[in-house]
Amino acid sequence: MSLLALALLAGWATSNTAQIAKGREVYETACILCHGKDGAGNPEWESEIRPVSFADCGTTAEPSALWKSVVVNGGPKHGLADVMPAFGEAFPPDELDAVVAYLRTFCKTADRYPPGDLNFRRLLATGKAFPEAEAVLKTKIVPDEGETEMEFVYENRLGPRFQYELEFPVRPAATNEGYGAGLGDVVVSGKYVLAFNPARLRILSGGLEAALPTGSEKKELGSGTTVFVPFLAFGQGIGSTVFQTKLSVELPANTSKASRTFKYSVGYSLPPIGLARTGYIAALELTGSYNRQNRSHEQTAVIGVSKALNKLGHVIASVGMGIPLRPSEGPKPKEFRAYLLWDFGDGPFWTGW
Amino acid sequence: MATAAGAPMVQAQGSGKITGRILFKGVPPEPMKIRMAADPRCQQANPNGAERRQIDGKNGGLTNVIVSIKTKVKGTFPPLTTPVVLDQSGCMYTPAVIGLMVGQPLKMRNSDETLHNIHPRPVVNEGFNVGQPRKGMETEKKFDKPETFFPVSCDVHPWMRSYIAVFDHPFFTTTKEDGSFEIPNVPPGEYEIEAQHPTLKIMTGKVVVKAGAAGVVDITYTLK
């Protein structure tokens, strides 16, 4: 290691240690009486109040901006308990940064968890890299074809970096072309955070999906074969905007029933209007697929907007429109997309309104 | 300059005044002992312990009562601009009761070397919860609707409690230790007055005020 690198590392360590020390001082001044010495939410006095436990590593999934806003604006502003006071301008920005850095130390393995600052808002078409504990109801409607697709997605975390996922696609009603309703190919998948860098707001995940042949081929609900889909997902914060992308390859077990297809999607989220956690976020996406066998290449542009429905920001809805740019077979009609998600890792659906 | 909670700086409205006493009959409950062991800084400030008297006063008079005119008084009354101070000192709120005009600033001050929060729980007005972690911190807030007594407390030190009443006129005051009170600058007329105490029911009385003279009214609470 070069002398310069050592010096930079030493400088970082000193400033980090100083920040943690300052954060501890703020914590002991303003937080310890309610949140307790160990940050586990055990007040130092006889009380029925049980504040959030910072020792619970699940809290690493919350972005620092949210924690700072709770300190400044109080709990009710974010749908949290009204006993959490608003400290207003009691702490300058460096002390707010310091106390949040100190709060992060109560989770003893916090450095293994991607922090919530990398938990970028979900897009309509592009998969995200951050491991989630969410239930999502997605829909895609193509009015001109009388087709509605729905998908229920369940995602949950295991440990610091792993997430498993189940997807249940459903066609609730027969299409104009006569294809019947029913369950599509159920997808089972796993995702692991390969790398993350909080300072550079960067996260990379990889995983494998397996689409099981549960859907009827006759109704065009399924492919009739298991399809394995290795993928990479990447997120990059750029100021208050976000770039996300997902690359995947569909590898069918039986290539006579389905063909290998390369899929990609990229999305760019504009700066939030309002708080990043709860405000409106508009996004532009480009999603495409390339089928090597018949050399078809399709692309769709998706314009969407999302917004948290409650103060806590753990129930979010998004609506948008897909415009086919490069259809493989004649002109394709516009499609409408939407999702409703509940981040159950943040609490029950009915809290925080 | 801040004013004491019981002495609103009433703008000249009339030449009369209302005086009297709020009295009580019966045996007041024993004072409640306050345990401050949870916060050593509070204990240091009260080495001999602390107590709260629900019924307090001297010579049969009841203190910590807000007395106000209930009858609609003609005229417009702009908000008083002088803040009323709610001080947090020795891990107690001072004063125990506060009368405010709509739009009048409530200045909350932390005089202790420990964290306090000020958490009013009004029903009509919008509540808030302000944290003051350091000594000397001050925050001002206002209420925009009239409202009878609502509690304000510190969630960190649950024994800290005060009560706030908000009026759309300046004709209110707080009783002194002997239960006496004086509402100055009252226009001539016949008035119903109201007495609010944190733990007793609201009582009313009637009084006639003549120009340049005092209308006198006493109200007596009977303790059960």
Side-chain angles (χ1 to χ4, degrees):
Chain A
M1 189 179 289
S2 72
L3 280 175
L4 178 62
L6 275 173
L8 287 172
L9 194 60
W12 176 85
T14 306
S15 77
N16 196 45
T17 306
Q19 189 187 44
I20 297 293
K22 182 186 282 188
R24 181 177 182 154
E25 191 182 315
V26 173
Y27 184 83
E28 289 178 351
T29 302
C31 318
I32 195 169
L33 279 168
C34 295
H35 289 276
K37 284 176 189 160
D38 56 1
N42 300 309
E44 298 294 295
W45 39 280
E46 289 171 21
S47 170
E48 291 178 0
I49 296 169
R50 285 291 172 270
V52 65
S53 169
F54 302 119
D56 174 1
C57 292
T59 59
T60 57
E62 306 306 335
S64 300
L66 172 67
W67 288 22
K68 284 188 266 189
S69 182
V70 170
V71 173
V72 172
N73 299 305
K77 171 97 176 173
H78 293 281
L80 300 171
D82 72 346
V83 292
M84 173 64 199
F87 286 95
E89 296 173 356
F91 302 111
D94 64 317
E95 289 189 339
L96 283 176
D97 290 338
V99 76
V100 170
Y102 180 67
L103 297 178
R104 299 271 190 211
T105 66
F106 286 117
C107 163
K108 299 303 176 197
T109 53
D111 56 336
R112 295 173 55 201
Y113 285 78
D117 305 84
L118 305 177
N119 188 359
F120 305 121
R121 178 81 60 88
R122 179 184 289 272
L123 298 173
L124 281 167
T126 308
K128 60 193 284 185
F130 195 86
E132 279 288 10
E134 286 182 349
V136 189
L137 184 63
K138 294 161 60 169
T139 185
K140 186 166 88 173
I141 301 168
V142 187
D144 290 356
E145 294 181 350
E147 187 173 337
T148 299
E149 293 174 17
M150 297 189 77
E151 192 173 74
F152 175 73
V153 183
Y154 174 82
E155 301 173 344
N156 208 350
R157 286 178 74 153
L158 279 178
R161 296 187 179 204
F162 185 74
Q163 174 205 289
Y164 64 91
E165 182 172 329
L166 299 168
E167 295 174 30
F168 300 92
V170 172
R171 185 188 294 147
T175 66
N176 289 351
E177 292 168 340
Y179 295 117
L183 177 71
D185 285 350
V186 172
V187 178
V188 180
S189 68
K191 180 169 77 181
Y192 187 80
V193 178
L194 301 170
F196 64 90
N197 186 326
R200 294 180 183 273
L201 289 176
R202 199 174 278 174
I203 182 168
L204 175 69
S205 295
L208 179 68
E209 297 172 1
L212 309 174
T214 51
S216 161
E217 281 183 83
K218 201 184 285 181
K219 293 179 180 177
E220 288 213 342
L221 281 162
S223 64
T225 181
T226 301
V227 180
F228 296 99
V229 187
F231 67 86
L232 287 171
F234 176 72
Q236 170 76 65
I238 309 162
S240 56
T241 66
V242 177
F243 170 79
Q244 296 182 79
T245 185
K246 184 177 177 183
L247 309 174
S248 60
V249 185
E250 292 183 353
L251 303 171
N254 183 346
T255 50
S256 67
K257 288 187 176 278
S259 52
R260 291 175 183 168
T261 306
F262 172 68
K263 288 193 162 184
Y264 58 89
S265 58
V266 293
Y268 182 70
S269 303
L270 299 174
I273 300 170
L275 297 174
R277 168 94 173 170
T278 55
Y280 288 94
I281 296 181
L284 307 169
E285 296 177 79
L286 178 69
T287 179
S289 63
Y290 177 69
N291 186 319
R292 198 177 164 191
Q293 196 172 325
N294 56 23
R295 298 187 179 277
S296 67
H297 187 180
E298 296 194 0
Q299 281 181 337
T300 302
V302 179
I303 304 166
V305 63
S306 60
K307 164 101 178 67
L309 300 182
N310 62 348
K311 291 179 185 172
L312 183 56
H314 77 317
V315 178
I316 298 172
S318 180
V319 292
M321 189 169 71
I323 305 160
L325 298 178
R326 189 174 172 163
S328 56
E329 296 172 7
K332 278 188 87 175
K334 293 184 182 70
E335 60 193 38
F336 294 94
R337 297 182 182 222
Y339 73 67
L340 174 69
L341 78 79
W342 161 38
D343 184 343
F344 57 80
D346 279 351
F349 187 88
W350 56 85
T351 60
W353 292 82
Chain B
M1 187 185 74
T3 180
M9 297 174 70
V10 179
Q11 291 125 324
Q13 300 292 334
S15 58
K17 60 184 177 183
I18 300 173
T19 63
R21 286 184 77 198
I22 307 298
L23 305 156
F24 72 91
K25 282 180 183 171
V27 182
E30 286 294 311
M32 291 187 299
K33 300 285 182 197
I34 296 172
R35 293 174 57 210
M36 295 189 178
D39 189 338
R41 281 167 285 202
C42 294
Q43 205 163 27
Q44 280 168 17
N46 300 274
N48 300 319
E51 59 184 27
R52 175 192 299 283
R53 289 178 184 274
Q54 283 188 28
I55 303 296
D56 202 4
K58 264 187 182 174
N59 303 326
L62 191 59
T63 189
N64 294 330
V65 179
I66 300 267
V67 185
S68 61
I69 291 180
K70 190 178 180 187
T71 310
K72 181 77 181 165
V73 183
K74 284 182 184 173
T76 54
F77 309 104
L80 300 170
T81 53
T82 309
V84 175
V85 173
L86 174 61
D87 195 14
Q88 300 150 101
S89 178
C91 294
M92 298 292 278
Y93 279 143
T94 307
V97 296
I98 291 171
L100 280 173
M101 256 191 94
V102 166
Q104 184 179 11
L106 171 68
K107 182 182 282 189
M108 297 156 283
R109 177 186 298 148
N110 186 358
S111 299
D112 287 334
E113 295 277 6
T114 191
L115 165 72
H116 288 305
N117 73 310
I118 306 103
H119 191 173
R121 290 178 169 84
V123 175
V124 179
N125 282 282
E126 192 175 337
F128 57 84
N129 184 1
V130 173
Q132 291 184 330
R134 289 176 178 142
K135 185 176 182 175
M137 283 186 162
E138 291 186 340
T139 311
E140 282 193 6
K141 293 277 185 184
K142 296 173 182 173
F143 297 98
D144 59 5
K145 297 181 188 75
E147 188 168 355
T148 54
F149 263 159
F150 54 86
V152 51
S153 57
C154 173
D155 298 303
V156 184
H157 308 109
W159 62 83
M160 293 175 70
R161 184 169 279 248
S162 185
Y163 290 83
I164 296 173
V166 187
F167 302 93
D168 57 4
H169 60 75
F171 305 109
F172 59 90
T173 190
T174 304
T175 54
K176 294 177 183 167
E177 208 172 2
D178 64 354
S180 66
F181 67 89
E182 178 180 314
I183 302 173
N185 304 321
V186 179
E190 189 176 335
Y191 297 104
E192 184 175 24
I193 67 158
E194 191 172 70
Q196 297 182 58
H197 182 272
T199 60
L200 301 173
K201 66 178 183 181
I202 291 175
M203 296 267 286
T204 58
K206 289 195 171 169
V207 63
V208 176
V209 176
K210 292 180 179 169
V216 181
V217 59
D218 292 346
I219 293 175
T220 303
Y221 282 92
T222 302
L223 305 179
K224 290 178 182 174

